[in-house]
Amino acid sequence: FDWWKPPKPGPTQAEHTQVHRALLLLHGSEFMKNCLRNLNEETFPEGSSLCLGILAFWMSYVRHFWTKDGVLRLSQELLNTLKTHAGRMCTHITAEERELAQTLYDDFSRWPPLEEFGANALEEAPQNKGMGTAEPDPEPAVAEPPETDGGGKPGCARQDRAATTPAELVGAVARGCPQAATANGAQPVDLARAEQLKKAGNEQFK
């Protein structure tokens, strides 16, 4: 879906809203610290370029959707890292990467820094009240425990009629429910007959 448009009404709205909110909540995780770590040192080939691109997308996304008047203030540490990275002349850092770091620094240094990124009050952005209204997943249905027979065995549910077919007889034996009789006075299961049917069935599948 289009990252730059809010979730559209319809069957996927709740799911897309949850994705948007999950992306926003990265600011409360180790996401930014890990991105900075990859900018400050060469962790893997082209790692700084990849992480800088991810960080640039995420900050632009958050500013677009979750800020008031498009003002997103960064920490002084992040601003310093961007400025330093723009001036690094290492062989593994391309000119395009340095240019992106400088662009981000020039863009976001227009506002005073914050000690904590979360102090931007992102979720209070007035244009995004609807982004936090995704309905929670419905509670999973809890199966009612089966009624037990007179002996209280779990799984030995009472039946509305006597177990008379081969399948019903074998099923009653498999559950260990010899009391599989109805409340209408039907006869209990013939265990001997049921065992015969069970053995005959097993023989056919050998």
Side-chain angles (χ1 to χ4, degrees), residues 92-108:
H92 67 278
I93 298 178
T94 64
E96 291 79 7
E97 184 177 342
R98 289 193 294 270
E99 182 179 356
L100 176 57
Q102 185 65 52
T103 299
L104 292 173
Y105 174 78
D106 292 341
D107 190 6
F108 288 97

Side-chain angles (χ1 to χ4, degrees), residues 170 194-206:
V170 173
E195 286 288 357
Q196 291 176 1
L197 291 171
K198 181 180 178 182
K199 290 180 180 179
N202 291 339
E203 290 293 330
Q204 293 180 7
F205 288 98
K206 284 185 177 180

Side-chain angles (χ1 to χ4, degrees), residues 73-95:
R73 297 166 62 186
L74 306 182
S75 68
Q76 188 63 61
E77 178 188 9
L78 179 51
L79 289 173
N80 291 343
T81 299
L82 292 173
K83 185 177 181 179
T84 300
H85 198 71
R88 295 177 68 186
M89 301 303 295
C90 303
T91 57
H92 67 278
I93 298 178
T94 64

